[in-house]
Amino acid sequence: MARLIQPNIKDSMKTISVVISGRGSNLEALLNAVQAGHLKARVARVIANRADAGGLAIAAQHGVPTTVIESKKYQDRAAFDAALAMALDADQPDLIVLAGFMRILGESIVKQFNHRMINIHPALLPSYPGVDTHQRALADGVKWHGCTVHFVTPKVDVGPIIGQSVVPVREGDTEAILAARVLKAEHRLLVDCVRWFCEERLVIKDDKVLLRNAETSFDAYQNPVG
Ligand code: GRF
């Protein structure tokens, strides 16, 4: 049986919390999409695990409340996760977006927000989980690279894949050039995947994500960008 992942949501406007560690360009793509009316959602809060995360200023510019929970001040993963879970819970988000959040979360918090937490990863999973994805792709000489948005599960960079975007790897690419090409694709993919979630079009069946009414979006992702 297909299972709807958002069975209890009454309000049509979804509430989103975004968790970041750094620059915040994916966050900015989401906030711009909300502002432009392309994403019918409310970003309730941005939480960063680093006080110097550039995305905090981007959130403030958009009038979104921010909270810093500095991971380095917590003695272990469980203590940090508990603080993060409490902060997230306060806004009762329908969806939590990990947008450049560079920490591994423990099983307890992941299970607490099961099917409500998504992550963007700069590679075509299951290839290149973890860090240094662009460097590893270049070293392997792959011809295609890209990014993935997936539901978060206790195993890192594993979890039902919502969407992927493919970019070419070109001769002469450096890590920085390839990262910039992938990042452009990330911004588009993340907005689309969040929109699909908000439109209640995602169904998880046998640990795979089905996209309802997929014609146009599916077609869009047959065409590599960049
Ligand atoms: C992105 O490439 C994301 O996929 C990775 O870290 C980067 C974060 O970029 N996990 P930004 O903070 O969204 O600009």
Side-chain angles (χ1 to χ4, degrees):
M1 260 292 276
R3 184 151 59 99
L4 288 180
I5 58 171
Q6 301 168 89
N8 298 318
I9 293 165
K10 300 151 213 110
D11 196 343
S12 63
M13 178 76 101
K14 304 293 187 241
T15 299
I16 300 173
S17 296
V18 184
V19 188
I20 62 168
S21 293
R23 179 180 53 189
S25 70
N26 278 291
L27 164 71
E28 189 167 32
L30 287 176
L31 292 171
N32 286 343
V34 169
Q35 201 169 0
H38 298 147
L39 200 53
K40 304 226 175 327
R42 181 179 75 95
V43 178
R45 183 169 302 279
V46 171
I47 299 176
N49 72 316
R50 296 175 56 120
D52 61 356
L56 290 167
I58 294 170
Q61 280 157 20
H62 282 80
V64 174
T66 58
T67 299
V68 176
I69 304 173
E70 277 190 285
S71 42
K72 67 179 182 196
K73 294 197 173 151
Y74 289 80
Q75 58 185 15
D76 55 29
R77 188 190 307 286
F80 170 77
D81 284 3
L84 177 60
M86 195 183 290
L88 285 169
D89 238 1
D91 293 306
Q92 293 283 295
D94 300 302
L95 176 66
I96 296 157
V97 181
L98 306 184
F101 178 58
M102 303 305 286
R103 265 186 77 89
I104 294 171
L105 293 174
E107 192 166 340
S108 164
I109 184 170
V110 169
K111 285 193 167 162
Q112 182 177 343
F113 298 110
N114 191 29
H115 294 169
R116 280 199 288 153
M117 187 183 270
I118 68 174
N119 179 51
I120 181 145
H121 181 74
L124 294 171
L125 293 171
S127 291
Y128 308 115
V131 295
D132 300 328
T133 56
H134 309 311
Q135 192 187 313
R136 286 152 62 204
L138 286 173
D140 285 344
V142 297
K143 303 302 180 199
W144 298 98
H145 189 41
C147 50
T148 302
V149 173
H150 63 95
F151 282 102
V152 176
T153 56
K155 281 193 182 164
V156 180
D157 295 334
V158 174
I161 292 173
I162 300 168
Q164 293 186 302
S165 187
V166 177
V167 304
V169 180
R170 299 213 168 99
E171 250 180 68
D173 272 356
T174 61
E175 196 182 335
I177 290 170
L178 184 56
R181 191 177 301 129
V182 172
L183 191 65
K184 207 171 140 199
E186 286 182 46
H187 296 162
R188 196 179 78 153
L189 178 68
L190 184 61
V191 169
D192 280 346
C193 290
V194 170
R195 187 166 43 75
W196 297 337
F197 184 98
C198 293
E199 292 169 352
E200 302 187 4
R201 290 171 60 192
L202 303 179
V203 176
I204 298 182
K205 190 184 176 193
D206 301 331
D207 278 339
K208 293 178 182 60
V209 179
L210 307 179
L211 176 62
R212 295 194 292 193
N213 308 319
E215 300 81 33
T216 51
S217 309
F218 182 78
D219 287 348
Y221 283 94
Q222 301 313 298
N223 300 314
V225 295

Coordinates of all heavy atoms in Angstrom, one line a residue, residues 57-102:
A57 N 22.7 35.7 8.2 CA 22.4 37.1 7.7 C 21.4 37.0 6.6 O 20.5 37.9 6.5 CB 23.7 37.7 7.2
I58 N 21.4 36.0 5.8 CA 20.4 35.9 4.7 C 19.0 35.7 5.3 O 18.1 36.3 4.8 CB 20.8 34.7 3.8 CG1 22.1 34.9 3.1 CG2 19.7 34.4 2.8 CD1 22.7 33.7 2.3
A59 N 18.9 34.9 6.3 CA 17.6 34.7 7.0 C 17.1 36.0 7.6 O 16.0 36.4 7.4 CB 17.8 33.7 8.1
A60 N 18.0 36.7 8.2 CA 17.6 38.0 8.8 C 17.2 39.0 7.8 O 16.2 39.7 8.0 CB 18.8 38.6 9.6
Q61 N 17.8 39.0 6.6 CA 17.4 39.9 5.5 C 16.0 39.6 5.1 O 15.3 40.5 4.6 CB 18.3 39.8 4.3 CG 19.7 40.5 4.5 CD 20.7 39.9 3.6 OE1 20.4 39.2 2.6 NE2 22.0 40.2 3.9
H62 N 15.6 38.3 5.2 CA 14.3 37.9 4.8 C 13.3 38.0 6.0 O 12.1 37.5 5.8 CB 14.3 36.5 4.2 CG 14.8 36.5 2.8 ND1 16.1 36.5 2.4 CD2 14.1 36.5 1.6 CE1 16.3 36.5 1.1 NE2 15.1 36.4 0.6
G63 N 13.7 38.5 7.1 CA 12.9 38.6 8.2 C 12.5 37.3 8.9 O 11.5 37.1 9.6
V64 N 13.4 36.3 8.7 CA 13.1 34.9 9.3 C 13.9 34.8 10.6 O 15.1 35.1 10.6 CB 13.6 33.8 8.3 CG1 13.4 32.5 9.0 CG2 12.7 33.9 7.0
P65 N 13.2 34.4 11.7 CA 13.9 34.3 13.0 C 15.0 33.2 12.9 O 14.9 32.2 12.2 CB 12.8 33.8 13.9 CG 11.5 34.0 13.3 CD 11.8 34.1 11.8
T66 N 16.1 33.5 13.6 CA 17.2 32.5 13.6 C 17.6 32.1 15.0 O 17.3 32.8 16.0 CB 18.5 33.2 13.0 OG1 18.8 34.4 13.8 CG2 18.3 33.6 11.6
T67 N 18.1 30.9 15.1 CA 18.6 30.4 16.4 C 19.9 29.7 16.1 O 20.1 29.0 15.1 CB 17.6 29.3 16.9 OG1 16.4 29.9 17.1 CG2 18.1 28.7 18.2
V68 N 20.9 30.0 17.0 CA 22.2 29.3 16.9 C 22.3 28.3 18.0 O 22.1 28.6 19.2 CB 23.4 30.4 17.0 CG1 24.7 29.7 16.9 CG2 23.3 31.4 15.8
I69 N 22.6 27.1 17.6 CA 22.9 26.0 18.6 C 24.3 25.5 18.2 O 24.4 24.7 17.3 CB 21.8 24.9 18.5 CG1 20.4 25.5 18.7 CG2 22.1 23.8 19.6 CD1 19.3 24.5 18.4
E70 N 25.3 26.1 18.9 CA 26.6 25.8 18.5 C 27.0 24.4 18.9 O 27.2 24.1 20.1 CB 27.6 26.8 19.2 CG 27.7 28.1 18.4 CD 28.8 29.0 19.0 OE1 28.6 29.5 20.0 OE2 29.8 29.1 18.3
S71 N 27.2 23.6 17.9 CA 27.5 22.1 18.2 C 28.8 22.0 19.0 O 28.9 21.1 19.8 CB 27.6 21.3 16.9 OG 28.2 22.0 15.9
K72 N 29.8 22.9 18.8 CA 31.0 22.7 19.5 C 30.9 22.9 21.0 O 31.8 22.5 21.8 CB 32.1 23.6 18.9 CG 31.9 25.1 19.2 CD 33.0 25.9 18.6 CE 32.8 27.4 18.9 NZ 33.6 28.3 18.1
K73 N 29.8 23.5 21.4 CA 29.6 23.7 22.9 C 28.9 22.5 23.6 O 28.7 22.5 24.8 CB 28.8 24.9 23.1 CG 29.5 26.2 22.7 CD 28.9 27.4 23.2 CE 29.7 28.7 22.9 NZ 29.0 29.9 22.8
Y74 N 28.6 21.5 22.8 CA 27.9 20.3 23.4 C 28.9 19.2 23.5 O 29.8 19.0 22.7 CB 26.7 19.9 22.5 CG 25.6 20.9 22.6 CD1 25.6 22.1 21.9 CD2 24.5 20.7 23.5 CE1 24.6 23.0 22.0 CE2 23.5 21.7 23.6 CZ 23.6 22.8 22.9 OH 22.6 23.8 23.0
Q75 N 28.8 18.5 24.6 CA 29.8 17.5 25.0 C 29.7 16.3 24.1 O 30.7 15.6 23.8 CB 29.7 17.1 26.4 CG 28.4 16.5 26.8 CD 28.3 16.2 28.3 OE1 29.1 16.6 29.0 NE2 27.3 15.4 28.7
D76 N 28.5 15.9 23.5 CA 28.4 14.8 22.6 C 27.3 15.0 21.7 O 26.5 16.0 21.8 CB 28.3 13.5 23.4 CG 27.1 13.5 24.4 OD1 26.1 14.2 24.1 OD2 27.2 12.8 25.4
R77 N 27.2 14.1 20.7 CA 26.2 14.2 19.7 C 24.8 14.2 20.2 O 23.9 14.9 19.8 CB 26.4 13.0 18.7 CG 25.5 13.1 17.5 CD 25.5 11.9 16.6 NE 26.8 11.4 16.3 CZ 27.6 11.9 15.3 NH1 27.2 13.0 14.7 NH2 28.8 11.4 15.1
A78 N 24.6 13.3 21.2 CA 23.2 13.2 21.8 C 22.7 14.5 22.4 O 21.6 14.9 22.3 CB 23.2 12.0 22.8
A79 N 23.6 15.2 23.1 CA 23.2 16.4 23.8 C 22.9 17.5 22.7 O 21.9 18.2 22.9 CB 24.4 16.9 24.7
F80 N 23.7 17.6 21.7 CA 23.4 18.5 20.6 C 22.1 18.2 19.9 O 21.3 19.1 19.7 CB 24.6 18.6 19.6 CG 24.2 19.4 18.4 CD1 24.2 20.8 18.4 CD2 23.8 18.7 17.2 CE1 23.8 21.5 17.3 CE2 23.4 19.5 16.0 CZ 23.4 20.9 16.1
D81 N 22.0 16.9 19.6 CA 20.7 16.5 18.9 C 19.5 16.8 19.7 O 18.5 17.3 19.2 CB 20.7 15.0 18.6 CG 21.6 14.6 17.5 OD1 22.3 15.5 16.9 OD2 21.7 13.4 17.2
A82 N 19.6 16.7 21.0 CA 18.4 16.9 21.9 C 18.1 18.4 21.9 O 16.9 18.8 21.8 CB 18.7 16.5 23.3
A83 N 19.1 19.3 21.9 CA 18.9 20.7 21.9 C 18.3 21.1 20.5 O 17.4 21.9 20.4 CB 20.2 21.5 22.1
L84 N 18.8 20.5 19.5 CA 18.3 20.8 18.1 C 16.8 20.3 18.0 O 15.9 21.1 17.5 CB 19.1 20.1 17.0 CG 18.7 20.3 15.6 CD1 18.6 21.8 15.2 CD2 19.6 19.5 14.6
A85 N 16.5 19.2 18.5 CA 15.2 18.6 18.4 C 14.2 19.5 19.2 O 13.1 19.8 18.7 CB 15.1 17.2 19.0
M86 N 14.6 20.0 20.3 CA 13.7 20.9 21.1 C 13.5 22.2 20.4 O 12.3 22.6 20.3 CB 14.4 21.2 22.5 CG 13.4 21.8 23.5 SD 14.2 22.2 25.0 CE 14.6 20.5 25.6
A87 N 14.5 22.7 19.8 CA 14.3 24.0 19.0 C 13.4 23.8 17.8 O 12.6 24.6 17.5 CB 15.7 24.5 18.6
L88 N 13.6 22.7 17.1 CA 12.8 22.4 16.0 C 11.3 22.2 16.4 O 10.4 22.8 15.8 CB 13.3 21.1 15.3 CG 14.6 21.3 14.4 CD1 15.1 19.9 14.0 CD2 14.3 22.2 13.2
D89 N 11.1 21.4 17.4 CA 9.8 21.1 17.9 C 9.0 22.4 18.2 O 7.8 22.4 18.0 CB 9.9 20.3 19.2 CG 9.2 18.9 18.9 OD1 8.6 18.7 17.8 OD2 9.1 18.1 19.9
A90 N 9.6 23.4 18.7 CA 9.0 24.6 19.1 C 8.2 25.3 18.0 O 7.1 25.9 18.2 CB 10.0 25.6 19.7
D91 N 8.6 25.1 16.8 CA 7.9 25.7 15.6 C 6.9 24.7 15.0 O 6.3 25.1 14.0 CB 8.9 26.2 14.6 CG 9.7 27.4 15.1 OD1 9.1 28.4 15.6 OD2 11.0 27.3 15.1
Q92 N 6.9 23.5 15.4 CA 6.0 22.5 14.8 C 6.1 22.5 13.3 O 5.1 22.6 12.6 CB 4.6 22.8 15.3 CG 4.3 22.5 16.8 CD 4.2 21.0 17.1 OE1 3.3 20.4 16.6 NE2 5.2 20.5 17.8
P93 N 7.3 22.3 12.8 CA 7.4 22.4 11.3 C 6.8 21.1 10.6 O 6.9 20.0 11.2 CB 8.9 22.4 11.0 CG 9.5 21.8 12.3 CD 8.6 22.1 13.4
D94 N 6.2 21.4 9.5 CA 5.8 20.2 8.6 C 7.0 19.6 8.0 O 7.0 18.4 7.7 CB 4.8 20.7 7.5 CG 3.6 21.4 8.1 OD1 2.9 20.7 8.9 OD2 3.3 22.6 7.8
L95 N 8.0 20.4 7.7 CA 9.1 20.0 7.0 C 10.4 20.6 7.5 O 10.4 21.8 7.8 CB 9.0 20.3 5.5 CG 10.2 20.0 4.6 CD1 10.4 18.5 4.5 CD2 10.0 20.6 3.2
I96 N 11.4 19.8 7.7 CA 12.7 20.3 8.1 C 13.7 20.1 6.9 O 13.8 19.0 6.4 CB 13.3 19.6 9.4 CG1 12.3 19.8 10.5 CG2 14.7 20.0 9.7 CD1 12.4 18.8 11.6
V97 N 14.4 21.2 6.5 CA 15.3 21.1 5.4 C 16.7 21.2 5.9 O 17.0 22.3 6.5 CB 15.0 22.1 4.3 CG1 16.0 22.0 3.1 CG2 13.5 22.1 3.8
L98 N 17.5 20.2 5.7 CA 18.9 20.3 6.0 C 19.6 20.9 4.7 O 19.7 20.2 3.7 CB 19.5 18.9 6.4 CG 18.8 18.2 7.5 CD1 19.6 16.9 7.8 CD2 18.6 19.0 8.8
A99 N 20.0 22.1 4.8 CA 20.5 22.8 3.6 C 22.0 23.2 3.8 O 22.2 24.3 4.3 CB 19.6 24.0 3.3
G100 N 22.9 22.3 3.6 CA 24.3 22.5 3.9 C 24.5 22.4 5.3 O 25.3 23.2 5.9
F101 N 23.9 21.4 6.0 CA 24.1 21.2 7.4 C 25.2 20.1 7.5 O 24.9 19.0 7.0 CB 22.8 20.7 8.0 CG 22.9 20.4 9.5 CD1 23.4 21.3 10.4 CD2 22.6 19.1 10.0 CE1 23.5 21.0 11.7 CE2 22.7 18.8 11.3 CZ 23.2 19.8 12.2
M102 N 26.3 20.4 8.1 CA 27.5 19.6 8.0 C 27.7 18.7 9.2 O 28.8 18.6 9.7 CB 28.7 20.4 7.6 CG 28.6 21.2 6.4 SD 28.2 20.2 4.9 CE 29.8 19.5 4.6

